[in-house]
Amino acid sequence: MSETVEREVGRSRPRKEDARLLTGQTNWTDNISVGGLLHLAILRSPMAHARIDRVDVTPALRRPGVVAAFSGSDLAEGMGSLPCAWPVTEDIVLPDHPPIAVEEVRYAGDPVAVVVARDRYAAADALEAIEVDYTPLPPVLDLEAALAEDSPLVHSDKGTNRSYRWPLRTGEDFDAVRRRAEVTLKRRYVHQRLIPNAMEPRGVVVTPLAASGEYTLYSSTQIPHILRIMLAMVTGVPEHKLRVIAPDVGGGFGSKLQVYGEEVIALTVARRLGRPVKWTESRSEGYLATHHGRGMIQDIEIAANRDGTLLGLKADLLVDMGAYLMLVTPGIPILGAFMYPGIYKMGSYELDVTGVFTTRTPTDAYRGAGRPEATYAIERIMDELAVELGLDPVELRRRNWIGHEEFPYTTIAGLTYDSGNYEAATEKALALFDYDKLRAEQADRNHRGDSVRLGIGVSTYTEMCGLAPSRVLRDLRYAAGGWEAASVRVLPTGKVEVVTGTSPHGQGHVTCWSQIAADVLGVPFDDVQVVHGDTRAAPQGMDTYGSRSLVVGGTAVHHAALKVVDKARKVAAHLLEASERDLEFTNGVFSVKGSPDARKTLQELAFETFSSHDLPDGMEPTINAGHLTDPDDFSYPHGTHLCAVEVDTETGRTRIRSYVCVDDVGKVVNPMIVEGQVHGGLAQGIAQALYEEAVYDDQGNLVSGTMADYLVPSAADLPDFVTDRTETPSTTNPLGVKGVGEAGTIASTPAVVNAVVDALRPLGVTEVRMPCTPERVWRAIEEASA
C-alpha cells in the first residue's frame, strides 16, 4: 500500500521563485544584453497640449555615439494606432493614438522624437539637441468643464470631450423609489489619480533575426500573449514571426497590462535598423508615461426607510480617460459598475458612466480596476446613512446584507454571487478588533474633548474577479476572450513540466501551480517545473490581471493534470492486464483493487510511454495533456475590514492604530502567499486613503512627478495588520478558489477614510477628500469650526 502523503494544496510552502530573486540570479528586461545592442531614448513633450510645428533631429545626429534619430513623422510609416480592446458602446469616440506624436501633443510626456545610440547615456544626452517648435493649445483638466459646449477640445476632429456614456438600469425606477423613501442621501466622492509604482520600471529589448524577418521582443509586461497579437496588428510584423517574452517581471499592479508606444517604437526601430535595441524608463519618466489609475468623480444617492432598509442606489460617474483610450481604459469603470450595490439587497439601481478626455496621461487598469471605486462609494455612503439614522454602522450593514442561507444570490446589478458568509467574516473581525471596547474608548475621548480623536472605520466588501467568462466579455463589448490554457508534460524520467498561459510578476504562480499539479499527479512538489511568459514555450494564454490567474489558470492546470492521470490509467491498465475500473490511483501509484502488489507508478508509466514498446492499440506515445478553461462565472471573494485611527486635531496627522481584516477567498492553495497578497493590497488601498495623489498644475504639468513629490508609503508608514480568514468555497471552479490579489486594495480605502471621518464627525466634519493628508484634515477641521 502507498503511504499517506501530505497534500500540497493548503500548505504554506516558501516560494520556489524567491531563491533566484534573493540571490540576484534574475533576468529582468534591463539585464538583457546582446551583441550590437543599441539604446533608445525618447524626447517627451513638456507641454500638456500643443501643436507640433517643427521637429529637427539633425543636431542630435552630431552627438557622440548617436546612430540614428527619428521624429514622429519619420516613424509614422509602418506604425498604426495603439489599440483599445474595450470600446464599451457602439458610438464611443475612439481617436487615433499614434505611438509617437506627429502633429499634436495631448499630455505632458507624449513622445515626440527618438534617439538611438551606442549607450543609454549618449542617447539621453542627445535628446537635448533635438529642436522642437510648439504652438501652445489650451489644456483640458476639469472633468465637468470639459463637457461644456465652449470647452477646448482634446481631439478637435471629434467635436467633443465626451468619449462615451454607459447607462445601467435595473429593478424599480429610482425616481419612484426616491419619492416613497423615508430617507435619501446624496454625496460626492472624488478618487484622485494614482501613479503605479512597480518595483521594476518598464523596459523593452527587441532582437531581430534579419535573415528570416523574425523578432524577439522582451518586455516587462503582464500580457505577453496579448502584446504579441496587438504588436502584429499595429506594426504589420506577421504574428508567427514575432516572439514575445516576459522574463522576470518586478511587479505590475495593472500598469503592465498594456500595449505601450515604447514597445511599438522599439520594434519599429529595430526593424528599421536591423539591430537589437533596448529602452528602459527612468522612474520620473515612468511617472509621465506609464498609465495612471483611478481619476473619477462619483455622485451617489441612496434611498432607505427609517428602519435602515435599503430601497435603491443611484450613481453618476465622471471618469478621467486622459488623452487617449489605451488597451482597456473605457472598460475600467464598467468593471466596477456591477459592484456598487456591494453585498446589499435593494430593489432599484441606476448608474451612468461618462468617460471624459483630458490633457493628462491616459488612465487604465490599476490594482482593483473599477471595483475599489465602487466599494468606496457604497461603503462611504453606508456610513453616512448610519449616522443619519442613528444606527451603528455595523448594525446597518447587518440589516441589509445577503444572508449566508440565501446563496446563490442574484443581485440587483444582475450578478449571481455563488457563495459567501458575510456574518461569519464580520463576527470574527469584530472579535479580533475588540470593537465594543474601542467604541467605549472613543466615546470617552469625545466626552473629554481630547485633542487626539479616535475614529473607527468599517468596510464590508465583495468583488467580482477571475476575469474570464468569454460570453460575458462579449456582451460587454470586450474584444478578447477570458479563457486560459495549461498543459502538463511528464518527462521520460518522471519529472513534470507545467506550461501555463498566465504570466506572473510576483504572485507566486510557480509555487502554487506546482502544488496543484503535485496533488493531482501524486508527485513530489520539487519535481514540478513551471514554464511561463514566453509565447514560443507557452504558445496559448490570456495572461495575468483581474485576479484571474488562480481561478482560471490554476483551474486549467488542475484539469490538464487530471487528463494526464486519465491517459496514464489506460497505459497502466494495459500493462497490469486489468480493467481501468479496477485501478486505484493514490499518491502517484496505480494499483489493482485487491492486489496491491500489482502496481505502476506515474514515473514508470512515463518511461513506458516514452519507449512505446507496449502501449494499448491506437494510443499515441504520450500521457501529456493540455486544457483550456473558460468558466461560466466570476468568483466573488468577500470580507470585513476594520480600521482604528488616531487623528491629532491640532496638526491633522492621522495614525492607524489598528487594522483587522477577515477575508474569504474560498479554498486556499498557499496561506503564506495569500497573506502576502493581502498585505500588499492593504498597503496600496491605505496609500490611496492617506498618501498618494498625482497632482497637476493649471497648465497640465505633473508636479508630483518624482518620489520626492509623490508619497509612496514604506513599511514604516503602515501598521501591523491582523489578518484572518473564513472559508466558503467557490462553486464555479473545481478547486473552490476565489481571487485574492486585489481584495486588500478594494476593501481598505473606505475602511480608512470612514475611520478618519468618524474621528472628526463630533467636530462637524463630514468629508475629507483623499488622500487625507495632515493639511487636508486640518483644513477640514478649521472649516467645520468656522
Side-chain angles (χ1 to χ4, degrees):
M1 297 288 291
S2 299
E3 63 182 32
T4 302
V5 177
E6 183 181 356
R7 284 184 59 81
E8 286 293 337
V9 170
R11 294 180 68 182
S12 285
R13 280 276 191 184
R15 300 196 322 173
K16 284 185 175 183
E17 301 90 323
D18 288 346
R20 290 189 308 103
L21 298 174
L22 292 172
T23 57
Q25 299 176 66
T26 49
N27 190 34
W28 312 113
T29 302
D30 194 47
N31 294 152
I32 296 167
S33 183
V34 296
L37 183 66
L38 300 175
H39 295 261
L40 291 179
I42 297 174
L43 182 68
R44 299 183 182 277
S45 169
M47 308 181 73
H49 198 195
R51 187 170 60 248
I52 301 173
D53 298 320
R54 182 180 70 97
V55 179
D56 187 358
V57 299
T58 306
L61 292 170
R62 295 193 285 266
R63 290 295 184 100
V66 172
V67 173
F70 304 98
S71 66
S73 58
D74 293 332
L75 293 176
E77 185 179 351
M79 287 199 307
S81 176
L82 291 176
C84 174
W86 205 337
V88 294
T89 63
E90 189 172 343
D91 60 350
I92 188 171
V93 175
L94 188 59
D96 285 342
H97 184 182
I100 180 169
V102 177
E103 297 177 348
E104 197 169 307
V105 293
R106 294 184 171 89
Y107 64 96
D110 214 349
V112 174
V114 179
V115 169
V116 188
R118 292 187 177 89
D119 67 68
R120 64 189 304 175
Y121 306 106
D125 289 345
L127 292 180
E128 65 185 22
I130 297 174
E131 299 173 2
V132 185
D133 293 336
Y134 298 100
T135 297
L137 297 171
V140 179
L141 302 169
D142 182 273
L143 295 183
E144 291 176 303
L147 297 177
E149 288 187 8
D150 60 349
S151 172
L153 297 176
V154 180
H155 300 274
S156 57
D157 60 321
K158 300 302 180 184
T160 180
N161 288 321
R162 179 183 281 108
S163 174
Y164 68 89
R165 177 176 173 269
W166 191 91
L168 180 63
R169 304 279 187 274
T170 62
E172 187 180 355
D173 178 71
F174 186 82
D175 289 338
V177 168
R178 183 193 291 118
R179 285 192 293 271
R180 64 181 174 82
E182 295 171 351
V183 178
T184 60
L185 290 181
K186 291 182 180 181
R187 294 291 186 269
R188 168 167 283 201
Y189 303 123
V190 178
H191 291 259
Q192 74 273 35
R193 277 174 165 252
L194 301 178
I195 301 176
N197 278 274
M199 188 174 291
E200 179 205 16
R202 291 187 295 122
V204 187
V205 174
V206 182
T207 61
L209 186 61
S212 59
E214 296 179 70
Y215 300 87
T216 299
L217 183 141
Y218 301 86
S219 181
S220 181
T221 182
Q222 299 174 217
I223 53 166
H225 298 90
I226 294 173
L227 179 59
R228 181 193 190 205
I229 295 166
M230 294 300 185
L231 285 175
M233 295 172 65
V234 173
T235 66
V237 174
E239 186 181 350
H240 67 291
K241 299 281 190 179
L242 182 58
R243 178 185 184 184
V244 174
I245 299 174
D248 292 315
V249 176
F253 313 117
S255 70
K256 296 173 183 175
L257 166 57
Q258 193 55 265
V259 179
Y260 280 106
E262 293 86 358
E263 290 159 326
V264 175
I265 291 168
L267 179 56
T268 301
V269 170
R271 193 180 187 187
R272 182 80 61 93
L273 300 180
R275 297 273 299 274
V277 299
K278 176 191 285 189
W279 171 81
T280 303
E281 72 178 0
S282 66
R283 184 66 67 179
S284 56
E285 186 179 21
Y287 274 44
L288 289 170
T290 296
H291 74 241
H292 293 178
R294 312 291 191 254
M296 178 187 292
I297 298 172
Q298 301 169 318
D299 287 308
I300 308 297
E301 183 175 1
I302 198 166
N305 286 333
R306 278 285 167 194
D307 64 359
T309 302
L310 296 184
L311 300 178
L313 183 72
K314 188 176 189 297
D316 289 305
L317 314 180
L318 288 181
V319 187
D320 189 351
M321 303 283 98
Y324 296 101
L325 304 183
M326 298 192 75
L327 192 65
V328 292
T329 301
I332 298 304
I334 310 307
L335 278 176
F338 300 95
M339 302 311 300
Y340 279 81
I343 66 173
Y344 307 113
K345 296 179 285 188
M346 59 188 73
S348 173
Y349 174 47
E350 291 189 7
L351 173 135
D352 278 286
V353 182
T354 302
V356 184
F357 290 116
T358 63
T359 52
R360 286 187 281 237
T361 302
T363 58
D364 209 302
Y366 182 66
R367 198 171 192 168
R371 287 102 75 211
E373 297 92 314
T375 301
Y376 184 86
I378 186 63
E379 289 304 294
R380 282 288 294 115
I381 204 163
M382 284 294 283
D383 260 35
E384 296 298 307
L385 181 61
V387 171
E388 178 71 18
L389 298 174
L391 290 172
D392 182 275
V394 175
E395 176 58 27
L396 177 63
R397 288 164 170 84
R398 282 196 184 106
R399 294 185 185 187
N400 288 284
W401 64 36
I402 301 157
H404 69 275
E405 73 283 352
E406 297 179 85
F407 290 95
Y409 184 89
T410 300
T411 73
I412 188 66
L415 299 177
T416 299
Y417 298 168
D418 63 317
S419 67
N421 191 328
Y422 309 140
E423 303 97 307
T426 302
E427 291 309 312
K428 181 176 277 193
L430 291 171
L432 291 169
F433 193 63
D434 211 345
Y435 184 82
D436 291 338
K437 184 177 179 180
L438 282 169
R439 283 292 184 199
E441 179 186 344
Q442 179 188 42
D444 180 61
R445 285 198 189 195
N446 290 343
H447 178 71
R448 290 188 285 108
D450 198 326
S451 63
V452 178
R453 295 300 177 104
L454 178 65
I456 297 169
V458 181
S459 174
T460 50
Y461 81 99
T462 189
E463 61 145 326
M464 52 182 277
C465 63
L467 191 65
S470 294
R471 281 178 280 189
V472 173
L473 295 177
R474 172 204 63 196
D475 293 342
L476 294 174
R477 299 181 62 85
Y478 182 59
W483 51 267
E484 195 47 77
S487 61
V488 175
R489 304 191 290 240
V490 185
L491 305 179
T493 56
K495 307 302 181 184
V496 176
E497 289 180 335
V498 172
V499 181
T500 176
T502 63
S503 186
H505 42 282
Q507 294 90 340
H509 293 185
V510 171
T511 302
C512 291
W513 282 207
S514 295
Q515 290 178 273
I516 293 168
D519 272 357
V520 176
L521 301 175
V523 300
F525 170 79
D526 289 328
D527 283 0
V528 184
Q529 180 71 29
V530 178
V531 178
H532 60 79
D534 182 339
T535 60
R536 183 166 294 170
Q540 288 184 298
M542 292 300 294
D543 304 317
T544 296
Y545 41 86
S547 298
R548 70 186 300 274
S549 292
L550 177 59
V551 175
V552 193
T555 296
V557 171
H558 173 80
H559 282 301
L562 288 175
K563 287 183 177 180
V564 168
V565 174
D566 287 342
K567 293 175 82 170
R569 185 184 301 275
K570 297 182 186 301
V571 181
H574 175 75
L575 295 174
L576 295 171
E577 298 181 343
S579 166
E580 291 181 40
R581 292 189 301 273
D582 293 334
L583 292 185
E584 295 178 328
F585 182 67
T586 306
N587 299 332
V589 178
F590 288 97
S591 59
V592 180
K593 295 175 185 176
S595 303
D597 293 335
R599 64 202 302 272
K600 287 286 184 182
T601 67
L602 188 71
Q603 290 85 347
E604 290 172 324
L605 295 170
F607 194 84
E608 291 277 3
T609 308
F610 166 71
S611 69
S612 67
H613 290 168
D614 187 12
L615 294 181
D617 291 341
M619 182 173 182
E620 296 177 339
T622 180
I623 57 172
N624 300 339
H627 189 84
L628 274 75
T629 291
D630 195 346
D632 294 326
D633 203 349
F634 305 100
S635 77
Y636 299 97
H638 70 83
T640 296
H641 289 224
L642 301 171
C643 178
V645 301
E646 291 183 325
V647 181
D648 188 325
T649 59
E650 295 176 351
T651 66
R653 181 177 181 269
T654 298
R655 181 182 75 88
I656 297 179
R657 177 167 137 181
S658 62
Y659 196 103
V660 169
C661 62
V662 176
D663 296 294
D664 190 325
V665 297
K667 290 285 186 180
V668 172
V669 174
N670 189 311
M672 185 186 300
I673 287 177
V674 166
E675 193 85 351
Q677 288 280 6
V678 170
H679 278 221
L682 292 176
Q684 286 183 275
I686 292 169
Q688 179 175 4
L690 297 180
Y691 300 111
E692 297 186 26
E693 182 176 23
V695 179
Y696 286 82
D697 66 17
D698 59 6
Q699 294 302 305
N701 300 302
L702 182 66
V703 297
S704 57
T706 72
M707 282 190 168
D709 313 297
Y710 183 91
L711 185 53
V712 180
S714 71
D717 300 304
L718 299 169
D720 291 332
F721 302 121
V722 177
T723 65
D724 208 334
R725 291 187 301 276
T726 55
E727 183 181 295
T728 54
S730 173
T731 63
T732 62
N733 65 78
L735 296 173
V737 296
K738 304 176 183 180
V740 68
E742 297 164 299
T745 302
I746 290 167
S748 57
T749 307
V752 175
V753 177
N754 276 341
V756 172
V757 175
D758 184 61
L760 302 178
R761 202 179 296 277
L763 304 177
V765 175
T766 59
E767 178 65 15
V768 180
R769 181 172 166 178
M770 294 187 292
C772 302
T773 62
E775 179 185 357
R776 280 190 176 152
V777 169
W778 182 84
R779 288 187 182 278
I781 295 169
E782 290 297 301
E783 289 170 6
S785 65

